[in-house]
Amino acid sequence: MDQQDSYVPGKFPGYVAYGNFNTVKDVIKSGIFYPMFITGLSGNGKTLMVKEVCAKQKREYVRANITVETDEDDLIGGFRLLNGETVWHDGPVVTAMKRGAVLLLDEIDLASNKIMALQPVLPTPGFNVIATANTKGQGSDDGRFIGTNVLNEAFLERFPVTIEQTYPAGSMEKKILNNELGKHGLEDQNFSENLVKWADVIRKTFYEGGCDEVISTRRLVHIIGAFSIFKDKMTAIQLTVNRFDAETKESFLDLYTKID
């Protein structure tokens, strides 16, 4: 049974389309059952991209957050006790199938072999499945994404295409940050530009194996949020990089002072 009348998501204010947005849009717009596997580092907008495509296409969207505990009952549905009676409750997969909606399986690489419950899922008009993951379903050998699992090859073969999502280009990322500043009634394009330069240097160092951490687009947005509260750039940056170990944090802070 449905718990709401419409599953069409609202548009994200100030969203900037980049990367594989048009590819995802073309597939969803086609109405064809064409599952997609979207992979990429954390915080680069995979989930938001799918949701925003659905919002702009006015397509219904059902999201299932996957964990190692996710089982058939969580996905397909099961009987629940309601007002003293046992009634069937549709899971997100059945809900999306019935409504011809886009089903997003978020962080699919955290799943156990119980995810194989999706194998018999059949297409219905408008229904589609999109999975997002930090890996390609082969686990994480470097230990960066602890908890990710090796997914069954037969399951992965159900996805005709794999889309590799990267962080946005500098111009796009700057636009994202300027939009975030605007939401808070702020305007400081120099700050946005410097944050983008800072993140770009760190990412290049990360890809070259020079550091073990990376600054994501999501973390840059968090910095803008902290700046809107504390009105101090270095405080905002420090508060959002405190999650890293002491050496990494200090090197990141030192790098920013050289840029700004």
Side-chain angles (χ1 to χ4, degrees):
M1 60 182 183
D2 291 334
Q3 297 178 329
Q4 59 193 72
D5 295 328
S6 175
Y7 286 76
V8 177
K11 293 181 180 179
F12 186 83
Y15 180 80
V16 178
Y18 65 90
N20 298 287
F21 184 90
N22 287 333
T23 301
V24 175
K25 182 188 71 174
D26 288 344
V27 172
I28 291 178
K29 186 177 180 180
S30 74
I32 297 172
F33 183 74
Y34 199 74
M36 291 180 286
F37 192 102
I38 305 176
T39 181
L41 292 177
S42 178
N44 67 10
K46 300 182 294 296
T47 300
L48 182 58
M49 174 177 63
V50 176
K51 184 178 180 180
E52 189 63 16
V53 168
C54 289
K56 292 188 175 181
Q57 293 293 315
K58 294 181 171 57
R59 288 293 308 279
E60 293 199 311
Y61 161 93
V62 178
R63 176 177 171 178
N65 295 312
I66 307 300
T67 73
V68 69
E69 302 294 334
T70 301
D71 59 18
E72 184 174 3
D73 192 70
D74 298 317
L75 295 168
I76 307 300
F79 288 99
R80 307 283 189 270
L81 189 62
L82 182 64
N83 298 325
E85 296 184 5
T86 302
V87 295
W88 175 267
H89 179 85
D90 289 340
V93 177
V94 173
T95 297
M97 288 177 67
K98 285 183 175 180
R99 301 186 71 97
V102 174
L103 172 67
L104 178 69
L105 301 173
D106 207 19
E107 303 202 59
I108 190 74
D109 52 353
L110 295 179
S112 70
N113 58 7
K114 295 174 184 175
I115 199 71
M116 296 299 287
L118 292 175
Q119 285 286 84
V121 168
L122 297 173
T124 58
F127 172 59
N128 202 3
V129 179
I130 300 177
T132 63
N134 294 133
T135 70
K136 295 183 179 181
Q138 306 299 326
S140 177
D141 292 336
D142 59 7
R144 180 168 179 77
F145 298 107
I146 295 174
T148 56
N149 297 306
V150 176
L151 299 178
N152 183 283
E153 187 64 25
F155 176 76
L156 291 173
E157 280 294 308
R158 298 281 178 159
F159 296 90
V161 294
T162 295
I163 294 172
E164 296 178 315
Q165 178 82 343
T166 61
Y167 292 115
S171 59
M172 289 294 185
E173 197 160 52
K174 183 179 176 182
K175 188 175 181 180
I176 291 170
L177 298 188
N178 284 335
N179 286 350
E180 287 298 316
L181 284 167
K183 289 180 188 178
H184 299 291
L186 302 170
E187 185 177 350
D188 192 333
Q189 293 197 11
N190 285 335
F191 189 32
S192 295
E193 185 172 350
N194 288 332
L195 285 174
V196 170
K197 289 179 181 177
W198 175 64
D200 185 56
V201 172
I202 291 172
R203 290 169 194 166
K204 287 178 178 176
T205 305
F206 170 79
Y207 294 135
E208 292 170 359
C211 65
D212 296 326
E213 302 290 353
V214 70
I215 297 294
S216 67
T217 303
R218 181 192 297 144
R219 191 157 299 278
L220 294 180
V221 169
H222 290 334
I223 290 172
I224 296 296
F227 177 58
S228 73
I229 296 171
F230 302 105
K231 303 298 187 292
D232 183 84
K233 296 177 183 178
M234 291 310 298
T235 297
I237 294 171
Q238 180 168 344
L239 287 172
T240 51
V241 300
N242 276 344
R243 67 167 293 271
F244 302 126
D245 63 74
E247 183 179 352
T248 300
K249 180 185 74 172
E250 291 305 320
S251 65
F252 283 3
L253 290 172
D254 182 61
L255 174 61
Y256 186 81
T257 62
K258 289 180 171 61
I259 292 174
D260 188 355

